[in-house]
Structure formats: structure tokens, C-alpha cells
Amino acid sequence: MTEQITLRAPDDWHIHLRDGAALARTVGDAARQFHRAIVMPNLVPPVTTAEKALAYRERIRAQIPAGRAFEPLMVIYLTDKTDAEVIRQAHAAGVIAAKLYPAGATTNSDSGVTDIANIYPALEEMQSCGMKLLLHGEVTTSDIDIFDREQVFIEKTLSRLVDDFPTLKIVFEHITTTNAAEFVQNAREGVAATITAHHLLYNRNHMLVGGIRPHFYCLPILKRGDHQTALIEAATSGSPKFFLGTDSAPHAHHKKEHECGCAGCYTAYSAIELYAEAFEREGKLDKLEGFASNFGPDFYGLPRNEDTITLVKQPWTLPEGLDMGGEKLIPLAAGETLSWKLV
Ligand SMILES: NC(=O)N[C@@H](CC(=O)O)C(=O)O
Ligand SMILES: [Zn+2]
Ligand SMILES: [Zn+2]
């Protein structure tokens, strides 16, 4: 008899779908396993207003494969110019959250916020209307080592935000350190974190020992093994403060394997299977449903999905490459064998 597990259908609380010709690939892959996804606004130019978010949502919806239930949840990108009125309009249009990219922190973050004080009126408005704040939590000053940027963000920015806006709901996204897991676990109600599959499965040795492997390069960068262990503990702990956000971020093959390669791992193709792998290694498959399907909607105040997905224990090998609008895209763990398969 094949072993199998059935879970409430999961959602992805942080994904990059990009735009244009990429959408057929990214939306199809996401919709294969997730019912809803929080869609990151770091397009070029960024999704900064309600109007842009609604137009982007239509472009995404047009690529949902027939017969799939998939709901893109939209986010606007905070800039130094985002004011309370922009927030009011976005909230009225059904935009679920606003995203803070410290300027220069990651892919397409050049229009991000240069000083958090510039968006205090916007944050005030978000707190009063109930819009969530999503954070790429890294400082960007050149004196701070890339491996310390998340930790310093907690000390310099996040602790203050959490106190200055005591009822603002905040998601510290794609956390990568023990410091972040502890901060969120001990923080007030209304502060949560997403964790990617790649930060559960890998650490910086996978990226740097025996040759440099650009497909593991993402931001925040993979950390030491002890941080990975802390993330695994947090994700499999059953704490509702930690939930699934793949941060699946496609970059064409030639932009990853390059002398100055882009940051981002494409995990959407097999995301739930990658998470199942990580949870099984820890002997905590029973905790996957809470993390993948329950705690996200609970945090956002949305209903949990009612239908289910089934994973069977059946080894399968990820393809070496995928097509993304005519460009080659290498999925994370390309050519590797996973033990769980979504049916
Ligand atoms: N995670 C990444 O390494 N890259 C993301 C941006 C982000 O989420 O920081 C991307 O858009 O490519
Ligand atoms: Zn990010
Ligand atoms: Zn991201």
C-alpha cells in the first residue's frame, strides 16, 4: 500500500509571479498546489497603487489554468511617497497588504523606502484600516555584513515598528535566522513570519562548499546550519506564528548562471513536495497542515480552504529545466529526487 497524506488545501503567503510571458509558467505552477497566493509587487515598475494592483490581478487571472481555483491576493509596494490616501484607496480596492522593501535590499527594490520615518503616516493608516505590513527584513548599509543584515534589521527597525504600531499586523517574511525565529516567537500578538522551503532544506554550505551554486543564491542569503535548525524547529513547532511562504522567485537561467547572478530560487514547481520533504526529515509530517494550510488564513482573518490535497510517497525526479515564456528556468533541486508527490 502506498503511504499517503491528505491535507487541507494550502496557500502561499509570499510568491513572485512576475509579469507578461512569465505568468503562464508561474501562475500555472502556483495554482497546481495552492488555492491562494500573496503576490509580491516588485515588478519593474513596481505595483505602488490600487489601480496597478487591480490591473496586475487581471493579468494573473487570465493565466489561471481552466478548472483551477486560484485567488491572487494583491499587495502594494511602499515607497518614500506612499501616503495615507494611497493606503485608503488600496484598502478600499481589496488590496490585502503593503510591502516594505528597504531600498536596495533585494531584486527590484530600488524604489523601496530609504527611511522608515517617510512611511509613518502610511503605517498609521494601515494600522487603523487593518491592512497588513509585509517586510523584507534586511538592512542595506554597506558596513553591515550580508550574513548579519536580518539580525540588524530586527534591532534597528523591526523592534521599533512593532512597538510604535502596537496593533499593526506584521509579517516578517522569509526569515532565515535563529534571531528572527526567536524574535517572532516572543513578539506581541499580530507579528508572524513566513519560512521558505529552501531555508528549511539548505544552508550556506549547500551553496558554497565544493563550488559556488548560483541556484541556491537568494535573499536573505542562506545562513549557517544552526540557523537552518532553528527555522526547522519553528516551522514544525505547531506555533501559529510561522506559516508557509515559498518566496518562489524565477530568474531566467542565463541571469542566474552569470558573473553577477540574480537572487531568487524557483520553488513553485514543487513547493509543497519540498516542504513535505523538510517536515518528514524532522519526523513532523503531522505539523505540515497547520503550517501550510491553517495558520496563514488564521493570521490574515480569511477562511481556511475547505477542500484537500493528497501527497503520496512515490519518488520522482524534478526536471532539469522548465520553460518560462521562451526562456529556460531552472527549478530549485533540478534533477534531484523527492520522496513525496502531489496527486
Ligand atoms: N528572494 C529573492 O532572492 N528574490 C526575490 C525578492 C525577495 O523576495 O527578496 C525576487 O524577486 O527575485
Ligand atoms: Zn524579500
Ligand atoms: Zn520574495
Side-chain angles (χ1 to χ4, degrees):
M1 212 184 79
T2 340
E3 254 187 275
Q4 62 173 59
I5 51 168
T6 295
L7 312 174
R8 181 190 302 284
D11 305 299
D12 186 347
W13 301 94
H14 178 138
I15 194 169
H16 300 268
L17 298 175
R18 312 297 191 214
D19 208 350
L23 287 176
R25 166 91 264 151
T26 58
V27 175
D29 286 344
R32 175 179 159 261
Q33 47 208 310
F34 299 113
H35 269 16
R36 292 170 288 200
I38 292 228
V39 181
M40 287 298 126
N42 61 333
L43 304 181
V44 189
V47 179
T48 47
T49 61
E51 196 187 348
K52 289 185 174 136
L54 296 184
Y56 183 32
R57 185 170 67 186
E58 286 320 302
R59 299 196 294 280
I60 295 166
R61 281 184 174 158
Q63 299 299 330
I64 300 172
R68 286 274 168 199
F70 181 70
E71 192 186 350
L73 303 171
M74 307 313 290
V75 176
I76 57 165
Y77 183 118
L78 295 166
T79 72
D80 286 336
K81 296 205 174 75
T82 311
D83 59 17
E85 184 52 27
V86 171
I87 297 296
R88 271 192 291 277
Q89 284 174 14
H91 180 65
V95 169
I96 190 165
K99 171 78 185 236
L100 168 64
Y101 289 101
T106 188
T107 307
N108 305 338
S109 62
D110 302 349
S111 321
V113 174
T114 59
D115 180 349
I116 193 87
N118 294 335
I119 56 161
Y120 263 46
L123 296 177
E124 204 68 64
E125 182 61 30
M126 287 168 63
Q127 174 168 256
S128 71
C129 72
M131 209 156 124
K132 280 79 187 162
L133 174 66
L134 313 183
L135 304 164
H136 180 107
E138 291 192 286
V139 295
T140 55
T141 45
S142 59
D143 56 318
I144 306 296
D145 188 271
I146 186 168
F147 289 98
D148 299 332
R149 289 179 169 202
E150 185 173 276
Q151 177 185 339
V152 176
F153 181 84
I154 298 171
E155 293 155 14
K156 293 232 164 103
T157 309
L158 184 56
S159 340
R160 218 177 84 203
L161 276 178
V162 166
D163 291 343
D164 286 354
F165 299 94
T167 60
L168 179 64
K169 283 199 151 187
I170 299 177
V171 185
F172 191 1
E173 299 193 285
H174 49 42
I175 61 166
T176 63
T177 57
T178 311
N179 316 65
E182 281 174 359
F183 179 85
V184 170
Q185 189 55 59
N186 299 324
R188 65 158 168 83
E189 204 189 297
V191 178
T194 56
I195 306 180
T196 75
H198 44 287
H199 289 97
L200 295 176
L201 289 168
Y202 306 109
N203 60 60
R204 68 195 199 182
N205 274 7
H206 294 95
M207 178 174 60
L208 297 172
V209 172
I212 185 161
R213 291 179 179 73
H215 297 289
F216 286 120
Y217 177 63
C218 64
L219 290 170
I221 198 160
L222 292 173
K223 306 294 191 300
R224 304 169 59 96
D226 50 344
H227 292 292
Q228 180 193 5
T229 303
L231 298 174
I232 294 170
E233 276 170 19
T236 62
S237 67
S239 162
K241 292 193 147 196
F242 302 99
F243 47 84
L244 187 155
T246 62
D247 195 21
S248 178
H251 293 274
H253 162 250
H254 65 278
K255 293 185 178 156
K256 292 287 295 173
E257 297 179 18
H258 188 273
E259 63 185 14
C260 183
C262 293
C265 300
Y266 191 67
T267 50
Y269 185 78
S270 56
I272 195 68
E273 291 117 332
L274 290 166
Y275 280 108
E277 200 82 24
F279 276 65
E280 178 174 51
R281 277 188 202 168
E282 198 58 17
K284 294 277 180 64
L285 266 177
D286 60 315
K287 295 285 197 267
L288 181 59
E289 184 177 52
F291 176 81
S293 316
N294 296 343
F295 305 151
D298 294 355
F299 180 85
Y300 277 88
L302 294 170
R304 296 178 178 180
N305 294 320
E306 277 173 10
D307 53 340
T308 58
I309 60 161
T310 296
L311 296 164
V312 289
K313 192 147 195 189
Q314 177 191 303
W316 66 290
T317 302
L318 266 91
E320 296 287 348
L322 303 168
D323 174 73
M324 178 174 67
E327 291 187 308
K328 187 173 170 190
L329 174 66
I330 313 282
L332 192 74
E336 287 179 35
T337 298
L338 300 182
S339 40
W340 289 92
K341 180 137 189 58
L342 179 66
V343 287

